[in-house]
Amino acid sequence: MIVKEQNPDFYNINGLVFIPAYDREEDIYRDLKGNVLPTVSQIMRPLLTMSLFAQRVETDVHKLIEGHLKNEPYGMPFTANCMDYLSAFHKWNDKTRPVVKAAGIRRACVNFAGRFDFFGEIDGELWVIDWTTEALALGLWPKLAAYAMLMQGWYEQQTGKTELINRGALKLNSDGTYIFKKYDDLEDYEIFNHLLAVKRWKMANEQF
């Protein structure tokens, strides 16, 4: 039976969590030995699909939000409605008052790598949060579980503390509204690990 609550020690990553090398031209991550690592987005591809236009909108919105969180100028052309999505983010930000510890960062372990949107505190609790302009699809649940595993490993290495890391998705709408949803089902970790096993099997056997 799946337990419907999180235990901070339940799906701990064994081994080092590190900042992976990133090849921007090829859009690939490498481990400390130079081996290519599968990304969380690649692993989740069977459950998360998006049109090219939707990908462009989401990318632009992510850059807008990241620029805001890092106090950096936006300085790029944006697709339609991007500022409406940003307005939705500001409404959530004003209501929750998150304390940003990291935004738009890359982390990796021996099995996979990921770049995630937000790690920080809300009301004294630690959170990893993913922004999206698309529906809150099933694939978001295990995707956030993967990010939580990476950040928990990194946080423990940096602080020596073991703390529960909450998982949330912020759905931004083009009319300036938003939906914020928390995920706390341990089955999400199991689903991600199954998809990771399939991805690693494919990578090992693609040459045959």
Side-chain angles (χ1 to χ4, degrees), residues 15-142:
L16 181 70
V17 176
F18 56 91
I19 301 173
Y22 177 61
D23 187 322
R24 190 175 299 275
E25 290 187 5
E26 296 189 31
D27 192 27
I28 57 175
Y29 294 76
R30 297 185 183 276
D31 65 16
L32 299 176
K33 296 181 179 179
N35 301 309
V36 175
L37 288 166
T39 68
V40 172
S41 295
Q42 292 169 348
I43 295 163
M44 295 309 307
R45 201 159 285 164
L47 294 181
L48 286 173
T49 58
M50 192 182 297
S51 70
L52 289 177
F53 178 76
Q55 289 178 30
R56 174 65 190 279
V57 172
E58 183 135 316
T59 297
D60 283 354
V61 171
H62 275 68
K63 288 181 178 179
L64 275 167
I65 294 173
E66 188 176 328
H68 167 75
L69 294 176
K70 294 181 176 180
N71 293 315
E72 296 174 353
Y74 306 144
M76 60 170 288
F78 303 119
T79 50
N81 297 329
C82 277
M83 299 310 293
D84 296 323
Y85 291 116
L86 184 62
S87 175
F89 170 79
H90 283 308
K91 290 175 184 177
W92 172 82
N93 189 67
D94 290 343
K95 181 177 181 179
T96 59
R97 298 293 181 184
V99 178
V100 182
K101 291 183 177 293
I105 62 171
R106 299 179 175 90
R107 293 293 182 270
C109 62
V110 67
N111 288 321
F112 64 93
R115 183 183 191 277
F116 44 98
D117 299 334
F118 171 91
F119 174 65
E121 292 184 12
I122 299 176
D123 295 329
E125 296 184 339
L126 294 173
W127 285 80
V128 289
I129 299 173
D130 198 55
W131 336 118
T132 181
T133 56
E134 295 293 291
L136 294 174
L138 286 173
L140 277 174
W141 309 3

